[in-house]
Amino acid sequence: MPRILITGAAGFLGSHLCDRFIKEGFQVIGMDNLLTGSLDNIKHLFPLKEFEYYHHDVSKFVHVPGELDYILHFASPASPIDYLKMPIQTLKVGALGTHNLLGLALAKKARILVASTSEVYGDPLVHPQTEEYWGNVNPVGPRGVYDEAKRFLEAITMAYHNAHQVETRIIRIFNTYGPRMRVNDGRVLPAFFSQAIRGEGLTVFGDGSQTRSFCYVDDLVEGIYRLLMSDYAQPVNIGNPDEISIKEFGEEVLAMVSNPAAKLIYKELPVDDPKVRRPDITKAREILGWEPKISRAEGLKRTFEYFKEVVKTD
Ligand code: UDP
């Protein structure tokens, strides 16, 4: 049975990855410090002998007894609200945490996949974003703590690959959504769904003309699985190229939730908010044979079912 360490296991993506790798017949070690994650996301795994949970902050030395075949490094605050609140932890987990896990991969001769992000492209001047684009990032702006941590994560990962021949994989994740997103994480999708369900104003930042491209979590997890099993060490974009403006997105959520008390309201645009974002997924298609399968209509329907359960209306 192959053994895999998943950091950020109690988070949105980490918990879905634990589920998937258990299904694939792996022994899964989930690690988290619960800074932004929640045990609610993985409590269904606790009775399984295929699952172990370690409470640990990966910014400190990481010790895992026994053999290890794979590492997925998904620990990090990931919503703008979270990393603005926790700037130092965000920098540390992207930098020191990644260093610790690369060291562990070297010691255990494990293959490691690290989670990077479309944020490495900053407010992009090339559209859609290809992996060859170097980005337009403000290092000292509010998003710099996340963007630069992830850029460092990519740099040190390539360094371990080149200097120590560690088997490394780098995924650049574009906006992803689905069940287990935190209701109050501040990102646009949980914000809009919870506001619509409660019959409040949906807070569109700026005039809502900025765009994003939303990928359903199951599609992303499939892309991660394929990338891990591939032999490709350069960064790969994984995301859904179906681009939409935030205003139109708000209108889609309003139509789906259909609460007459809810409507769009407008708030100030945050500093350095990217104006456009859409992945070029040619590499994922050609190298991994991957493309998203779940339409936004279907993905939003499944996600609405989840938010109906977890959003408190009183
Ligand atoms: N946004 C918004 N209202 C909200 C939260 C976010 O209009 O309540 C906008 C935000 O300004 C950005 C887009 O939605 O343009 C996506 O924001 P999110 O925080 O989800 O992630 P980002 O893609 O910026 O990392």
Side-chain angles (χ1 to χ4, degrees):
M1 204 184 221
R3 209 156 170 249
I4 187 167
L5 169 68
I6 302 180
T7 76
F12 163 49
L13 296 182
S15 66
H16 284 282
L17 288 167
C18 290
D19 288 344
R20 172 68 189 258
F21 279 87
I22 284 173
K23 224 164 91 192
E24 296 289 344
F26 285 66
Q27 179 72 29
V28 172
I29 303 167
M31 190 173 277
D32 210 296
N33 67 348
L34 303 182
L35 191 64
T36 56
S38 164
L39 290 182
D40 283 346
N41 291 332
I42 47 171
K43 60 177 187 241
H44 60 286
L45 301 176
F46 280 48
L48 305 180
K49 62 178 186 335
E50 297 83 5
F51 185 72
E52 301 161 67
Y53 175 69
Y54 289 16
H55 184 97
H56 183 67
D57 176 357
V58 298
S59 300
K60 308 214 169 75
F61 183 83
V62 181
H63 173 67
V64 174
E67 288 185 10
L68 208 52
D69 303 292
Y70 299 96
I71 300 172
L72 296 179
H73 179 29
F74 279 71
S76 178
S79 87
I81 295 241
D82 285 343
Y83 54 73
L84 293 180
K85 259 195 293 197
M86 298 171 262
I88 314 279
Q89 290 97 325
T90 302
L91 280 157
K92 283 173 75 175
V93 73
L96 310 181
T98 306
H99 185 209
N100 289 335
L101 292 160
L102 286 163
L104 183 68
L106 178 62
K108 302 277 188 185
K109 298 190 172 44
R111 182 181 296 178
I112 178 168
L113 182 150
V114 297
S116 185
T117 159
S118 55
E119 284 284 325
V120 299
Y121 302 121
D123 189 2
L125 306 175
V126 166
H127 191 67
Q129 292 77 55
T130 60
E131 289 86 348
E132 283 69 37
Y133 178 49
W134 293 349
N136 177 37
V137 169
N138 174 6
V140 294
R143 302 174 86 104
V145 296
Y146 186 62
D147 301 8
E148 296 296 358
K150 291 297 190 181
R151 289 169 70 97
F152 178 86
L153 162 145
E154 292 197 10
I156 193 170
T157 299
M158 284 317 295
Y160 266 72
H161 179 70
N162 293 327
H164 293 306
Q165 290 73 50
V166 172
E167 286 189 32
T168 57
R169 308 286 178 264
I170 301 173
I171 180 176
R172 290 188 181 148
I173 299 170
F174 284 67
N175 294 68
T176 299
Y177 68 98
R180 301 188 193 153
M181 281 187 106
R182 228 170 66 226
V183 172
N184 61 348
D185 87 349
R187 278 187 278 200
V188 67
L189 189 138
F192 281 3
F193 267 110
S194 53
Q195 290 158 344
I197 291 168
R198 292 186 187 122
E200 298 167 356
L202 276 61
T203 51
V204 176
F205 295 165
D207 62 5
S209 62
Q210 70 273 30
T211 67
R212 294 294 185 271
S213 307
F214 296 100
C215 182
Y216 189 67
V217 61
D218 291 1
D219 280 331
L220 183 90
V221 165
E222 179 63 27
I224 292 166
Y225 188 81
R226 288 187 187 210
L227 179 59
L228 183 67
M229 295 307 159
S230 79
D231 58 4
Y232 191 72
Q234 296 296 317
V236 179
N237 289 339
I238 299 283
N240 189 325
D242 188 2
E243 185 179 5
I244 185 172
S245 76
I246 294 302
K247 179 168 184 279
E248 278 174 274
F249 182 62
E251 282 158 359
E252 281 190 1
V253 173
L254 281 180
M256 180 166 285
V257 176
S258 167
N259 181 341
K263 60 174 178 21
L264 301 187
I265 59 169
Y266 292 84
K267 299 263 177 184
E268 207 177 319
L269 189 67
V271 176
D272 294 339
D273 197 282
K275 286 180 266 311
V276 288
R277 184 181 289 155
R278 172 185 178 179
D280 180 316
I281 58 165
T282 309
K283 275 210 164 68
R285 279 202 175 100
E286 287 175 358
I287 296 166
L288 311 177
W290 176 89
E291 62 181 10
K293 298 270 186 269
I294 297 160
S295 67
R296 196 170 55 246
E298 175 58 27
L300 288 184
K301 214 166 77 192
R302 296 187 198 176
T303 309
F304 181 33
E305 292 306 312
Y306 171 77
F307 280 114
K308 265 195 252 182
E309 296 294 316
V310 296
V311 172
K312 302 212 176 9
T313 45
D314 40 70

